[in-house]
Amino acid sequence: MSQQNPLANPAIRYGIGASGALAIAVVAYLFLDGTAQLIAYAVAVLDLVVTPQILKRAATA
């Protein structure tokens, strides 16, 4: 039996990115306001977009 890398599955990669983005967005909504909240939302979007791409590269390495 060969072990397949779980990061080869796109659903896993996007799930990891989405969970991190969701955590950031929740913290921003509950605890931040003003410019700090907007910056946190931008970081959440960046996490949602970039994390799966980084994990894809890690899966192929």
Side-chain angles (χ1 to χ4, degrees):
M1 280 190 283
S2 66
Q3 293 280 12
Q4 185 181 8
N5 188 349
L7 296 179
N9 185 351
I12 300 293
R13 293 192 309 260
Y14 283 98
I16 292 171
S19 66
L22 180 64
I24 294 169
V26 167
V27 168
Y29 181 75
L30 294 176
F31 299 111
L32 301 175
D33 59 351
T35 305
Q37 187 179 38
L38 295 176
I39 291 171
Y41 287 147
V43 170
V45 169
L46 188 66
D47 185 26
L48 183 64
V49 172
V50 173
T51 299
Q53 295 174 1
I54 293 171
L55 293 176
K56 183 177 181 180
R57 288 186 182 215
T60 59

